[in-house]
Amino acid sequence: MLSRKGLIPDDYLLTRLAEDVQQPKFKASKARKARFVAKNGTCNVAHTNIREQGRFLQDVFTTLVDLKWLHTLIIFTMSFLCSWLLFAMVWWLIAFAHGDLDQKGDDFVPCVTDIHSFSSAFLFSIEVQVTIGFGGRMVTEECLSAIVVLIIQNIVGLLINAIMLGCIFMKTAQANRRAETLIFSKHAVISIRNNKLCFMIRLGDLRKSMIISATVRMQVVRRSTTSEGEVVPLDQIDIHMDNPVGTNGIFLVVPLIICHVINKDSPLYELSPADLQNNDIEVVVVLEGVVETTGITTQARTSYLSEEILWGQRFVPTISEEEGMYAVDYSKFGNTVRVATPSCSAKNLDEKGGIARFKLNEHATPRPSVRRRRLSLRMKQYSTISPLA
């Protein structure tokens, strides 16, 4: 099935379930630190003891957009109801002061026609603000105050419409909605790629519309101590990546493997497989780009803890050519296979002669499975020799 036609949520959910079953799970020997960024991209940070709460009211629009949908809808409804009730009270007071509520003769001219109670004043307030105009009630030339209130209510109604509708539009067009279809592999892997020890992840886009000028950044978040003894609980260290297309941006049409070469400048340089499982590190991945259809900048985030980094494995291919088109099999998006990888840190590997020395030793010393296969072949050859010979 082609990736840009009909693949989508069901296959992806199956992929996630398959990853949960197939991938090995490491049992932590000690309590892990709290995750800084969740797998779905939310930041695990609670802001407490904020004394200057008034700062949020200085930017009312952003505050309304950041609220939950339930709170936003309540404010949306109450803003209109309160304004209608407020101006209904004003129209009732105008009618009461002018004597419109009392029965008069035919020659009496009221400020607003057909207002006999607060209910009729409330209905007139709704007609004025939403410009319905049923035709039964209207402002006359008798009262200047009624004309002024009519102008004020129209202006207030336009302001409420602009703010509330703009808030609803911004909430529905928020960039994080687009990030729901930007997916990351559940696990990261470390293996040899192009004769270098690399840290790799896979990311993809499920939608047909592209992410323009997409860029990927990685950070290692860990607890560190400075030379002066200061403890930094969340030390964020940028790590360099080798872009698969060789430029600053990535062309995210098909799933890509983002690679970080573990060299001397890498914060993972001194970590071996055992150290990786004993250290509390977290690799945060951030994908940023502009949505092609809306022009809004979006950002997708995820993170990988130590137990979510698989040493000695690589991602399986997902792209194949079918009937003159390239097909992407998302059921293999997070699948990995074991490959020969040094079981030491990149630092120790460089001290022992690098990848070339490792490959030489690998070819010189057959693996146990190869030795068993050779022994079985020899046993078969001996068994086929005739005793008379």
Side-chain angles (χ1 to χ4, degrees):
M1 185 181 295
L2 297 179
S3 64
R4 298 294 172 183
K5 288 187 177 180
L7 187 104
I8 314 276
D10 293 338
D11 289 349
Y12 175 63
L13 291 176
L14 291 176
T15 302
R16 305 298 274 184
L17 293 176
E19 290 180 23
D20 293 339
V21 174
Q22 295 176 5
Q23 301 296 350
K25 297 182 179 180
F26 297 94
K27 294 183 179 180
S29 58
K30 61 178 182 178
R32 293 288 181 180
K33 71 178 183 66
R35 186 188 286 269
F36 183 50
V37 177
K39 296 297 288 185
N40 60 0
T42 59
C43 296
N44 187 25
V45 178
H47 300 279
T48 59
N49 298 327
I50 300 177
R51 298 181 179 179
E52 299 181 5
Q53 298 287 345
R55 291 181 177 269
F56 295 100
L57 298 179
Q58 295 177 4
D59 187 7
V60 179
F61 186 78
T62 304
T63 303
L64 291 175
V65 174
D66 289 340
L67 290 175
K68 295 181 180 180
W69 266 108
L70 178 61
H71 299 162
T72 301
L73 292 177
I74 291 175
I75 294 175
F76 179 85
T77 304
M78 294 304 298
S79 62
F80 285 103
L81 287 178
C82 291
S83 63
W84 295 339
L85 289 171
L86 175 64
F87 282 99
M89 180 62 68
V90 174
W91 289 118
W92 185 83
L93 291 176
I94 291 175
F96 177 78
H98 191 258
D100 298 348
L101 302 180
D102 301 330
Q103 297 293 332
K104 302 292 183 180
D106 295 338
D107 57 345
F108 177 77
V109 180
C111 294
V112 181
T113 60
D114 290 339
I115 289 185
H116 308 293
S117 62
F118 182 79
S119 298
S120 58
F122 179 73
L123 293 175
F124 179 71
S125 175
I126 297 176
E127 293 177 15
V128 170
Q129 190 160 328
V130 299
T131 63
I132 295 177
F134 292 117
R137 302 176 183 86
M138 63 179 181
V139 178
T140 63
E141 301 176 355
E142 183 70 18
C143 302
L144 179 63
S145 59
I147 299 175
V148 173
V149 172
L150 177 66
I151 296 173
I152 294 175
Q153 185 172 4
N154 277 289
I155 295 175
V156 172
L158 290 175
L159 290 176
I160 294 176
N161 287 336
I163 295 175
M164 291 293 102
L165 295 180
C167 177
I168 296 297
F169 171 77
M170 289 302 298
K171 286 188 71 67
T172 55
Q174 275 185 323
N176 55 3
R177 307 304 178 195
R178 179 62 176 88
E180 296 294 332
T181 51
L182 298 174
I183 58 175
F184 299 86
S185 58
K186 185 175 182 179
H187 295 86
V189 298
I190 294 179
S191 61
I192 297 176
R193 196 182 204 199
N194 294 327
N195 295 323
K196 297 177 182 178
L197 192 63
C198 300
F199 172 90
M200 292 172 286
I201 65 163
R202 176 179 274 168
L203 55 87
D205 185 6
L206 296 177
R207 285 191 180 274
K208 185 177 180 180
S209 59
M210 294 177 54
I211 299 295
I212 304 173
S213 303
T215 57
V216 180
R217 295 184 293 109
M218 284 189 188
Q219 284 186 341
V220 172
V221 180
R222 63 185 180 185
R223 183 186 182 93
S224 63
T225 305
T226 63
S227 56
E228 294 80 14
E230 178 186 0
V231 177
V232 182
L234 294 174
D235 189 11
Q236 303 179 28
I237 306 172
D238 290 329
I239 58 179
H240 176 72
M241 291 173 302
D242 283 353
N243 199 309
V245 294
T247 58
N248 292 331
I250 60 175
F251 191 47
L252 193 58
V253 179
V254 296
L256 297 177
I257 296 178
I258 306 299
C259 177
H260 160 63
V261 177
I262 304 178
N263 52 23
K264 295 181 180 179
D265 298 327
S266 172
L268 307 176
Y269 186 62
E270 299 181 357
L271 291 180
S272 64
D275 297 333
L276 186 64
Q277 299 306 319
N278 293 327
N279 291 347
D280 288 333
I281 67 169
E282 181 177 353
V283 180
V284 179
V285 183
V286 180
L287 169 64
E288 292 180 344
V290 179
V291 181
E292 183 182 27
T293 53
T294 62
I296 300 176
T297 302
T298 186
Q299 185 181 92
R301 300 178 295 268
T302 191
S303 69
Y304 301 92
L305 297 179
S306 301
E307 57 267 23
E308 296 170 344
I309 301 174
L310 307 179
W311 193 287
Q313 299 196 33
R314 71 180 179 190
F315 294 106
V316 300
T318 59
I319 304 174
S320 61
E321 189 173 354
E322 298 178 1
E323 301 177 356
M325 298 183 67
Y326 292 100
V328 180
D329 186 2
Y330 278 92
S331 65
K332 302 178 182 178
F333 182 81
N335 294 349
T336 61
V337 294
R338 290 188 176 276
V339 292
T341 307
S343 59
C344 62
S345 64
K347 180 179 180 180
N348 293 337
L349 185 63
D350 291 341
E351 293 174 352
K352 294 177 181 179
I355 299 297
R357 183 64 177 272
F358 167 75
K359 289 186 175 181
L360 182 62
N361 295 336
E362 182 186 10
H363 290 297
T365 305
R367 290 175 294 179
S369 59
V370 176
R371 290 198 299 267
R372 287 195 298 268
R373 193 179 303 113
R374 290 178 180 177
L375 181 59
S376 62
L377 290 175
R378 291 174 184 174
M379 294 294 292
K380 289 180 179 179
Q381 292 175 357
Y382 288 136
S383 63
T384 56
I385 298 176
S386 173
L388 296 177

